[in-house]
Structures are given as structure tokens and as C-alpha cells.
Amino acid sequence: AHLLIPFHHRNRLSPSYLNMSPTTTTTKLITQSIGKSLRAAVNVRSATIPKHLSQSTAALFSAYGGAKPTLPDLPYDYNALEPAISTETMTLHHSKHHNTYVTNLSAGLEKLDAALSAGDAGALIALQPAIKFNGGGHINHTLFWDNLAAPDTTAPGPETTAAIAAAFGDLDSMKTTMSAQTVAVQGSGWGWLGYNAASGRLEIATCPNQDPLLNLTPLLGIDVWEHAYYVDYRNVRPDYVKNIWNVINWNTVEERLVAAKQ
């Protein structure tokens, strides 16, 4: 799968993404979001670069959107999530780990631009895994920061409550199911609560490494890379996942769900 999620100019996911199915997202991105220079490059190099590679590279550039990726500001202070997540963890996680994804994504996109202009198919192929990894890390973390808030300051809204009841029975059942699946992620990855536009129901999914969630609209994500919890919980991932429920921003979940259903 290719990275097909557009970057907003402030590195927030745009409402238009939240309203699209994965197929619609791909089509829109390829046909509407590619800059004039990229269109020209793809057309000029079409005899050199295989068509399928030109299309996938165009999709990567449309995900980029032409704006240089930057580290987003947090909507709260580094100490706001204590005791669930410490100031030290938040500082390292945001300013070091997330920033590394942003830096590497910017570098990869510059190289991709040069490779596309040069018609270097080998370089295009070689660069796409790193762009997917770092672009996914940037998107996943941007979603993650916004679905966190100071302890016990928000509660599930009416749309979220109804959707959880329909899919899982009640909030505690959803938490139990999502926690179990998230803790069980092998190695590093993410647990997600997402909205399935086809069925109109909530679903739980996990993604390895920094793969972005593409088959559902992401509503709530839990990062289970060790850098997200090792300072505070060492290798006891279940305790981290248990405590992160105390700092979920249910207002953000509600907003994402409402947008996804429109």
C-alpha cells in the first residue's frame, strides 16, 4: 500500500480526508492534488518510467501536497498528561522521535523529486519504503497527539457513545477489546479505533511499524512503539495501554466520527 493521505498546510489531517473512502481518497489525490510541475514531470518521463511507477510516485507526491512537512505544535504542555505519560516521555516522543520522522520525510521527498525529474526509476523504487515509513510516522503521531488530553477532562460524545454501543455493547467492552488487540501487536505498531464507511460501524484494527490506517477512517490511535512508554513503564506494555485511557481526548474522537459520517 502506498501513502495516500494528504498533508494539511499545518500538518493536520484535513476534513476532506476524513470524509473519503480509501478508493475515493486515492482517486482524488492522483487527479486533483498533483502540482503542475509534477504533472509535467510524470508526462515527460512516461516513456522512461513505467506507468504504474509514475502513478504510485504521483500518489506519494500528492500525499506530500507540496508543503514542507513540519513538526506540529502540541495542543497542551509536555506535562499535561501526567501521571499516565510523563513529561520526559512526551518531550522525547514529540521533539525527538516525531521530529525525526518529519526530518527524514522532508529529505526523502526532496530525493524523490530529483529522481522523478531525472527519470530514475531505480531511485524511485528505492525511496518509496522510507517515505511510506516516515510519512506514516508523521501522520500517525499527528493523529495521536490530538486524540490525547489532560486526565479525565473529556467524555465520549453522543455520536461516539451510540457508535460504541452498536459495535461493542458499551465503552468498557470496547476498551477491553481494543486494549487486548493493541497490547498483542508484535514488535512495534499501532492500535486504532476506526470508522468503516461501508458498514457505518466502528472497528478495531492494528497496524505494524508506522503503516498508516488506510482501510478505515482513524478516530483514536494508541502508539505501542517502545519509545511511547519505556521511560514510564519499561517493558510492561499492558500497564501503559491501561493508563492511556485516562488521557483520551473524546472531543477529538467525536469530531472525527461526525466528519467521517458526513
Side-chain angles (χ1 to χ4, degrees), residues 34-183:
I34 304 172
K36 292 181 179 179
S37 60
L38 178 60
R39 290 180 190 274
V42 170
N43 290 335
V44 168
R45 301 294 176 180
S46 60
T48 304
I49 303 174
K51 182 178 180 181
H52 73 277
L53 183 57
S54 293
Q55 291 175 339
S56 64
T57 302
L60 286 168
F61 262 93
S62 67
Y64 171 45
K68 185 178 179 65
T70 57
L71 184 69
D73 295 332
L74 295 181
Y76 40 76
D77 294 330
Y78 283 144
N79 65 357
L81 306 182
E82 291 187 340
I85 304 176
S86 69
T87 301
E88 182 179 4
T89 292
M90 285 300 302
T91 302
L92 290 171
H93 198 171
H94 177 257
S95 69
K96 302 298 183 182
H97 291 283
H98 187 173
N99 196 44
T100 297
Y101 295 123
V102 173
T103 300
N104 290 341
L105 175 61
S106 295
L109 288 167
E110 289 178 3
K111 293 177 182 178
L112 190 69
D113 191 9
L116 184 62
S117 297
D120 188 343
L124 293 176
I125 294 169
L127 285 165
Q128 290 191 40
I131 292 174
K132 176 187 175 184
F133 177 78
N134 290 293
H138 180 33
I139 289 170
N140 290 338
H141 283 87
T142 299
L143 287 164
F144 181 58
W145 305 134
D146 283 352
N147 69 218
L148 300 178
D152 302 316
T153 55
T154 68
E159 292 288 338
T160 303
T161 299
I164 288 174
F168 305 100
D170 56 38
L171 180 61
D172 286 341
S173 296
M174 186 277 289
K175 288 182 179 180
T176 299
T177 303
M178 184 170 173
S179 294
Q181 293 187 30
T182 302
V183 168

Side-chain angles (χ1 to χ4, degrees), residues 16-53:
S16 61
Y17 162 68
L18 295 176
N19 291 335
M20 295 180 189
S21 67
T23 301
T24 304
T25 304
T26 303
T27 303
K28 293 269 188 182
L29 287 172
I30 292 176
T31 59
Q32 297 181 4
S33 300
I34 304 172
K36 292 181 179 179
S37 60
L38 178 60
R39 290 180 190 274
V42 170
N43 290 335
V44 168
R45 301 294 176 180
S46 60
T48 304
I49 303 174
K51 182 178 180 181
H52 73 277
L53 183 57

Side-chain angles (χ1 to χ4, degrees), residues 158-219:
E159 292 288 338
T160 303
T161 299
I164 288 174
F168 305 100
D170 56 38
L171 180 61
D172 286 341
S173 296
M174 186 277 289
K175 288 182 179 180
T176 299
T177 303
M178 184 170 173
S179 294
Q181 293 187 30
T182 302
V183 168
V185 169
Q186 293 185 348
S188 301
W190 293 77
W192 292 100
L193 179 68
Y195 176 73
N196 186 325
S199 66
R201 294 174 64 85
L202 302 187
E203 296 181 12
I204 292 166
T206 59
C207 297
N209 301 313
Q210 292 296 353
D211 288 6
L213 182 68
L214 296 179
N215 60 327
L216 303 170
T217 300
L219 304 178

Side-chain angles (χ1 to χ4, degrees), residues 182-183 185 187-191 222-229 237 240-241:
T182 302
V183 168
V185 169
S188 301
W190 293 77
I222 299 177
D223 185 354
V224 286
W225 279 66
E226 281 197 343
H227 65 234
Y229 61 86
R237 182 186 284 180
Y240 158 70
V241 173

